[in-house]
Amino acid sequence: MADYIHVPAGAPAVPKLDVTVDEHDFRAGAQKLIKELRPHWEETDVKMKLFTDGITNKLIGCYVGEVMEDVVLVRIYGNKTELFVDRENEVKSFRVLHANKCAPHLYCTFNNGLCYEFMQGTALDPEHIRCPEMFRLIARQMAKYHTIHAHNGWVPKSNLWLKMGKYFSLVPTEFEDKTVNLRFKRDVPSPTQLKEEMAWMQNSLSDLGSPVVLCHNDLLCKNIIFNEKEGKVKFIDYEYTGYNHQAYDIGNHFNEFAGINDVDYSCYPDKSLQMEWLRAYLEAYKEYKTHSSEVSDKEVEVLYVQVNRFALASHFFWGLWALIQAKYSTIEFDFLG
């Protein structure tokens, strides 16, 4: 995907600071960054808040005063995440989305992370994204992403299967901890079985004709911020943003209705909710592309089939991701589960 993300001319350059922030003792490193980015802040006045929702990276909010208004977010990359996250592509995506008013300001990158503007609002939970008023806003914002041109004349291609193949090669064959290893051998299908499933999926899904568009690719609830004052939603975290099949992005979001910590797949949206969501999405998508919002029942039905099949690829992708994280991540989370 990195080859196809083209940053528009005139997008502000992003400085690279030669600072490394210790993920276990982040204060000194974060202070160095703040000194560069907010030189007028007194060092003794800087407050730091650790956000605990993320399961890939560490996120710290730096601010002065009693209210979190001007907040610099310092994100420290998770251990070994460079194995499966293209950091150069992430920065390009950030800049493209900011140029299209879809992302906050990226202040800088540093040796093991980046700093960016805090987006005011509330991170959503699974119960919020089921609400029609909210899911129409989400569908509309996703449609906006899907109509952004960031390919500079290239015919964009999805590298979903290439990326999945890379993840597959990084999946551990065993774990040092005997209890973990026993669970791994017992509960996870064999590499042969997984490879067969991956090949079957690629054959089945590649023929569905889902357009390749600029996708967020990781639209879980906490990556959706609702600003009540503006009545709008914005998406955050662009580590996996890139060109992919339209139906994958939507199917992946539908999978997230089940939650992360207490997963409940009975919360996966039923057909009537999906049809309403998909119609709202297609109306906005057509409006952004052609200024017409007429959508037929047939178009909604076709997208419904594509989305529910690509939801399988999303499960598989994050399954491989979790196995890699189970091996390398230092964050307390049951990735193997």
Side-chain angles (χ1 to χ4, degrees):
M1 291 174 198
D3 296 341
Y4 291 100
I5 296 283
H6 174 74
V7 180
V14 179
K16 168 92 194 263
L17 302 182
D18 186 16
V19 174
T20 302
V21 182
D22 186 329
E23 66 169 319
H24 303 294
D25 185 13
F26 52 77
R27 191 164 187 98
Q31 282 284 17
K32 284 183 189 173
L33 295 167
I34 294 304
K35 202 171 178 182
E36 293 286 337
L37 299 172
R38 295 290 184 273
H40 56 286
W41 287 3
E42 288 291 335
E43 193 173 317
T44 49
D45 293 342
V46 177
K47 295 175 183 174
M48 296 189 188
K49 177 185 175 179
L50 179 65
F51 293 90
T52 54
D53 286 329
I55 57 169
T56 306
N57 311 291
K58 283 223 167 121
L59 188 65
I60 302 111
C62 304
Y63 62 103
V64 292
E66 295 308 309
V67 187
M68 291 180 72
E69 276 182 8
D70 179 16
V71 183
V72 175
L73 291 175
V74 176
R75 195 174 81 201
I76 308 164
Y77 298 147
N79 186 46
K80 301 283 187 189
T81 51
E82 71 280 358
L83 289 172
F84 51 86
V85 176
D86 182 336
R87 295 300 179 189
E88 188 188 337
N89 184 66
E90 180 189 11
V91 171
K92 284 182 180 180
S93 300
F94 218 123
R95 294 173 70 196
V96 164
L97 293 168
H98 178 66
N100 285 277
K101 298 184 171 56
C102 288
H105 188 176
L106 179 59
Y107 296 132
C108 73
T109 63
F110 55 94
N111 296 337
N112 61 327
L114 39 82
C115 297
Y116 54 99
E117 177 187 10
F118 177 70
M119 213 178 254
Q120 297 291 342
T122 308
L124 300 184
D125 286 314
E127 61 267 26
H128 300 133
I129 63 173
R130 306 188 72 81
C131 158
E133 294 80 12
M134 194 63 76
F135 75 57
R136 285 192 187 98
L137 293 176
I138 295 166
R140 185 167 192 85
Q141 184 68 0
M142 190 185 281
K144 186 175 181 181
Y145 266 59
H146 291 179
T147 51
I148 290 172
H149 287 279
H151 52 79
N152 198 27
W154 292 89
V155 175
K157 291 178 184 173
S158 165
N159 74 353
L160 175 64
W161 308 110
L162 200 69
K163 205 166 194 177
M164 239 187 237
K166 185 187 176 184
Y167 279 23
F168 187 84
S169 71
L170 295 168
V171 167
T173 51
E174 60 181 357
F175 289 84
E176 283 174 25
D177 183 300
K178 284 182 180 174
T179 313
V180 173
N181 198 52
L182 186 71
R183 192 177 169 209
F184 172 64
K185 297 290 185 191
R186 186 190 64 212
D187 297 342
V188 178
S190 71
T192 309
Q193 208 177 329
L194 289 175
K195 211 163 197 171
E196 284 171 2
E197 282 194 26
M198 196 159 74
W200 172 82
M201 262 192 312
Q202 186 171 358
N203 288 336
S204 306
L205 303 183
S206 297
D207 293 338
L208 289 176
S210 179
V212 173
V213 295
L214 187 67
C215 293
H216 183 282
N217 287 321
D218 187 22
L219 207 55
L220 49 93
C221 300
K222 294 297 182 190
N223 281 346
I224 306 169
I225 306 295
F226 175 57
N227 186 316
E228 196 173 355
K229 202 170 163 186
E230 294 178 4
K232 288 179 180 174
V233 295
K234 291 273 176 77
F235 305 156
I236 58 169
D237 287 1
Y238 318 111
E239 292 181 291
Y240 303 94
T241 298
Y243 277 99
N244 201 352
H245 295 282
Q246 175 190 55
Y248 177 94
D249 214 16
I250 303 171
N252 180 73
H253 175 60
F254 285 173
N255 283 339
E256 297 295 351
F257 276 55
I260 288 181
N261 294 310
D262 302 307
V263 178
D264 180 1
Y265 285 114
S266 70
C267 295
Y268 186 81
D270 60 21
K271 186 169 183 179
S272 64
L273 189 153
Q274 284 196 44
M275 296 301 265
E276 214 179 316
W277 197 108
L278 295 171
R279 184 172 289 278
Y281 165 84
L282 282 171
E283 284 171 355
Y285 182 69
K286 283 192 156 187
E287 198 181 304
Y288 283 125
K289 273 183 87 84
T290 64
H291 305 293
S292 156
S293 58
E294 276 186 41
V295 174
S296 69
D297 292 347
K298 174 73 177 163
E299 286 172 308
V300 180
E301 189 66 45
V302 166
L303 186 55
Y304 170 77
V305 171
Q306 291 173 336
V307 162
N308 286 277
R309 291 193 182 172
F310 267 98
L312 300 174
S314 156
H315 279 306
F316 200 91
F317 182 89
W318 294 115
L320 295 176
W321 174 91
L323 290 172
I324 302 165
Q325 286 282 62
K327 179 83 172 173
Y328 296 112
S329 180
T330 56
I331 289 171
E332 281 295 313
F333 187 79
D334 180 18
F335 288 104
L336 194 56

Short mmCIF file of all heavy atoms in Angstrom, two decimals, residues 20-30 58 76:
data_model
loop_
_atom_site.label_atom_id
_atom_site.label_comp_id
_atom_site.label_asym_id
_atom_site.label_seq_id
_atom_site.Cartn_x
_atom_site.Cartn_y
_atom_site.Cartn_z
N THR A 20 14.33 9.22 21.76
CA THR A 20 13.77 7.89 22.02
C THR A 20 13.07 7.94 23.37
O THR A 20 13.65 8.40 24.35
CB THR A 20 14.88 6.81 22.03
OG1 THR A 20 15.55 6.84 20.76
CG2 THR A 20 14.29 5.43 22.25
N VAL A 21 11.81 7.50 23.41
CA VAL A 21 11.03 7.54 24.65
C VAL A 21 10.93 6.13 25.22
O VAL A 21 10.49 5.20 24.52
CB VAL A 21 9.62 8.14 24.40
CG1 VAL A 21 8.84 8.22 25.71
CG2 VAL A 21 9.72 9.52 23.75
N ASP A 22 11.33 5.97 26.46
CA ASP A 22 11.26 4.67 27.14
C ASP A 22 9.80 4.36 27.46
O ASP A 22 9.14 5.14 28.14
CB ASP A 22 12.09 4.75 28.44
CG ASP A 22 12.20 3.41 29.16
OD1 ASP A 22 11.26 2.59 29.06
OD2 ASP A 22 13.22 3.18 29.82
N GLU A 23 9.30 3.23 26.98
CA GLU A 23 7.87 2.92 27.18
C GLU A 23 7.53 2.67 28.65
O GLU A 23 6.38 2.83 29.06
CB GLU A 23 7.43 1.73 26.31
CG GLU A 23 8.05 0.40 26.67
CD GLU A 23 7.38 -0.77 25.96
OE1 GLU A 23 6.14 -0.77 25.86
OE2 GLU A 23 8.10 -1.68 25.52
N HIS A 24 8.52 2.28 29.47
CA HIS A 24 8.26 2.01 30.89
C HIS A 24 8.46 3.24 31.76
O HIS A 24 7.88 3.36 32.83
CB HIS A 24 9.17 0.87 31.38
CG HIS A 24 9.01 -0.38 30.58
ND1 HIS A 24 7.84 -1.11 30.58
CD2 HIS A 24 9.87 -1.02 29.73
CE1 HIS A 24 7.98 -2.14 29.76
NE2 HIS A 24 9.20 -2.11 29.24
N ASP A 25 9.31 4.17 31.31
CA ASP A 25 9.58 5.39 32.06
C ASP A 25 9.61 6.54 31.05
O ASP A 25 10.65 7.02 30.64
CB ASP A 25 10.93 5.24 32.78
CG ASP A 25 11.24 6.44 33.68
OD1 ASP A 25 10.31 7.24 33.93
OD2 ASP A 25 12.41 6.59 34.09
N PHE A 26 8.41 6.96 30.64
CA PHE A 26 8.27 7.83 29.47
C PHE A 26 8.44 9.32 29.75
O PHE A 26 8.61 10.11 28.84
CB PHE A 26 6.92 7.60 28.78
CG PHE A 26 5.73 7.70 29.72
CD1 PHE A 26 5.25 8.92 30.13
CD2 PHE A 26 5.10 6.54 30.17
CE1 PHE A 26 4.16 9.01 30.99
CE2 PHE A 26 4.01 6.62 31.04
CZ PHE A 26 3.54 7.87 31.45
N ARG A 27 8.42 9.72 31.01
CA ARG A 27 8.33 11.16 31.33
C ARG A 27 9.49 11.98 30.75
O ARG A 27 9.27 13.01 30.12
CB ARG A 27 8.22 11.37 32.84
CG ARG A 27 7.85 12.79 33.16
CD ARG A 27 7.35 13.05 34.56
NE ARG A 27 6.92 14.44 34.59
CZ ARG A 27 5.67 14.84 34.45
NH1 ARG A 27 4.72 13.96 34.28
NH2 ARG A 27 5.36 16.13 34.46
N ALA A 28 10.74 11.51 30.96
CA ALA A 28 11.91 12.29 30.51
C ALA A 28 11.90 12.45 28.99
O ALA A 28 12.12 13.56 28.47
CB ALA A 28 13.19 11.59 30.96
N GLY A 29 11.62 11.38 28.25
CA GLY A 29 11.59 11.44 26.79
C GLY A 29 10.47 12.33 26.29
O GLY A 29 10.65 13.14 25.37
N ALA A 30 9.29 12.20 26.92
CA ALA A 30 8.14 13.02 26.52
C ALA A 30 8.43 14.50 26.76
O ALA A 30 8.06 15.36 25.96
CB ALA A 30 6.89 12.58 27.28
N LYS A 58 1.65 2.57 23.29
CA LYS A 58 1.39 3.35 24.50
C LYS A 58 1.09 4.78 24.09
O LYS A 58 1.77 5.34 23.23
CB LYS A 58 2.61 3.33 25.42
CG LYS A 58 2.75 2.03 26.19
CD LYS A 58 3.13 2.26 27.65
CE LYS A 58 2.94 0.96 28.43
NZ LYS A 58 4.15 0.50 29.06
N ILE A 76 3.98 5.97 21.68
CA ILE A 76 5.20 5.16 21.64
C ILE A 76 4.84 3.83 20.98
O ILE A 76 3.93 3.12 21.43
CB ILE A 76 5.73 4.90 23.08
CG1 ILE A 76 5.88 6.21 23.85
CG2 ILE A 76 7.06 4.15 23.03
CD1 ILE A 76 6.01 6.03 25.36
#
